[in-house]
Amino acid sequence: MVAVGLPEPTRAAARRPRNVRGRRAAGRILPLVPALALLALFFLGPILWCVYASFTDVALTGATASTPHLVGLRNYRQMLHDPQFRQSLWLTVVFVLGSAVIGQNVGGMVLALLMKSRRRIARAVVGAIVVGAWVTPELVAGFVWYAFLSDDGTLNAILHAVGLHGKSWLYATPLLAVTLANIWRGTAFSMLVYSAALSNVPDDLLEAAAVDGASAFARLRHITLPLMRRAVMTNLMTITLQTLAVFTLIFVMTGGGPGTKTQTLPVYMYQSAFKFYQLGYGAALAIVLLAVGGVFSVVYLRMMREDV
């Protein structure tokens, strides 16, 4: 508006700063274009294809593999009448609550609190052991726990050596077995997050509370945990989303069995798509799993906002 009514050279001079800012913005965005293109190709692209496939009857083999047809909400209506889907959804919730929300979260907090007051050498040794489990590939961790809990595995060998009778742990308590394995593998992440958060809690505040007679539990409840609330919510959201996607660990240890006792949503999705060749139904299950993760994320984000 400033340049209206001015001679042409004056208007050109007024437009020049805007052009300079545009070129500078383009110069900043241009290096990001390859990364954005790769993100759209390998992240957004598969999600959009999955959404499309969930509304079709596309299969892995047969006529509908090459010429799928749109079937509307048929795959989603099928879920409502599918008892295996309801069981898989329930097992997924139990697995996430048991191994992530309770196991990894509480275990990581306890380890971080115990290591805070220990000597540097003890912290380094314990940290190396726990982090070693975390960096172990999921496939290897599954084999390790299968070898430990199988009928002729390490645990039964130890029990027999001391005169006790072992049992088929992967058959008698399959969900507990995969839950413990996931706790063992993922607790290190929570421990690292909480160790970093504990270093930001002022020691003088805790010492003042101790001088006033507050017990260790009272200091933890009224000082440490409130100051770590954002770290707790962030850690819960991260490990929940990680645990929702756990597939290899369960598949290697139990294959989703015995029967369907450890058939969580990722395992059921894989079996529907690649064992029973129903890619469309498997894609619909993937969208539901994505929605479950979104619900957990929204809940944690709202809990973090309440802290502001």
Side-chain angles (χ1 to χ4, degrees):
M1 295 180 62
V2 176
V4 173
L6 295 178
E8 182 60 28
T10 306
R11 289 202 298 270
R15 287 197 300 268
R16 189 172 300 122
R18 185 178 302 173
N19 295 335
V20 171
R21 289 198 296 271
R23 285 196 296 271
R24 288 178 178 174
R28 288 194 294 268
I29 294 175
L30 190 60
L32 300 177
V33 171
L36 294 175
L38 290 174
L39 191 64
L41 179 63
F42 294 107
F43 179 72
L44 187 60
I47 291 179
L48 293 178
W49 183 89
C50 197
V51 172
Y52 162 75
S54 69
F55 294 102
T56 69
D57 60 353
V58 62
L60 194 62
T61 60
T64 55
S66 57
T67 56
H69 303 93
L70 290 173
V71 295
L73 296 174
R74 190 180 75 181
N75 290 323
Y76 293 95
R77 287 197 299 268
Q78 181 181 343
M79 286 184 203
L80 299 177
H81 304 286
D82 184 359
Q84 285 194 36
F85 165 71
R86 292 195 295 271
Q87 185 189 26
S88 298
L89 184 60
W90 169 247
L91 289 175
T92 302
V93 173
V94 173
F95 179 65
V96 169
L97 291 177
S99 63
V101 178
I102 298 176
Q104 295 180 9
N105 183 50
V106 176
M109 177 68 77
V110 171
L111 282 174
L113 289 171
L114 291 176
M115 291 176 62
K116 186 174 186 296
S117 57
R118 296 296 183 271
R119 293 180 180 275
R120 181 174 298 179
I121 296 177
R123 293 202 303 269
V125 172
V126 175
I129 294 173
V130 178
V131 173
W134 182 43
V135 299
T136 301
E138 195 174 337
L139 179 65
V140 178
F143 274 114
V144 168
W145 275 87
Y146 178 83
F148 183 69
L149 296 175
S150 62
D151 295 349
D152 54 351
T154 307
L155 180 58
N156 282 341
I158 294 173
L159 293 177
H160 289 313
V162 296
L164 298 176
H165 295 288
K167 62 180 180 180
S168 181
W169 304 99
L170 295 175
Y171 186 84
T173 56
L175 187 59
L176 178 61
V178 296
T179 299
L180 290 175
N182 195 48
I183 293 173
W184 173 82
R185 184 171 181 271
T187 300
F189 179 82
S190 299
M191 183 196 71
L192 294 175
V193 171
Y194 291 145
S195 295
L198 281 172
S199 64
N200 294 324
V201 177
D203 290 333
D204 54 350
L205 191 60
L206 296 173
E207 292 170 359
V211 171
D212 290 339
S215 64
F217 179 75
R219 297 196 298 274
L220 174 66
R221 179 183 177 185
H222 298 292
I223 298 177
T224 303
L225 289 181
L227 292 177
M228 294 175 59
R229 182 172 177 175
R230 281 185 171 276
V232 172
M233 291 298 110
T234 303
N235 179 62
L236 279 173
M237 184 167 62
T238 305
I239 61 177
T240 297
L241 296 180
Q242 288 176 345
T243 303
L244 276 174
V246 169
F247 167 78
T248 307
L249 184 73
I250 299 174
F251 198 77
V252 169
M253 290 181 65
T254 64
T260 57
K261 290 184 177 178
T262 55
Q263 192 183 56
T264 56
L265 270 180
V267 177
Y268 187 42
M269 179 180 62
Y270 167 81
Q271 292 177 337
S272 297
F274 300 108
K275 185 177 180 181
F276 302 113
Y277 309 137
Q278 299 177 340
L279 278 181
Y281 190 59
L285 291 170
I287 296 302
V288 171
L289 183 62
L290 188 65
V292 172
V295 169
F296 273 108
S297 300
V298 169
V299 171
Y300 291 139
L301 288 174
R302 288 185 64 86
M303 293 174 71
M304 276 195 286
R305 288 178 59 185
E306 291 174 359
D307 188 41
V308 178

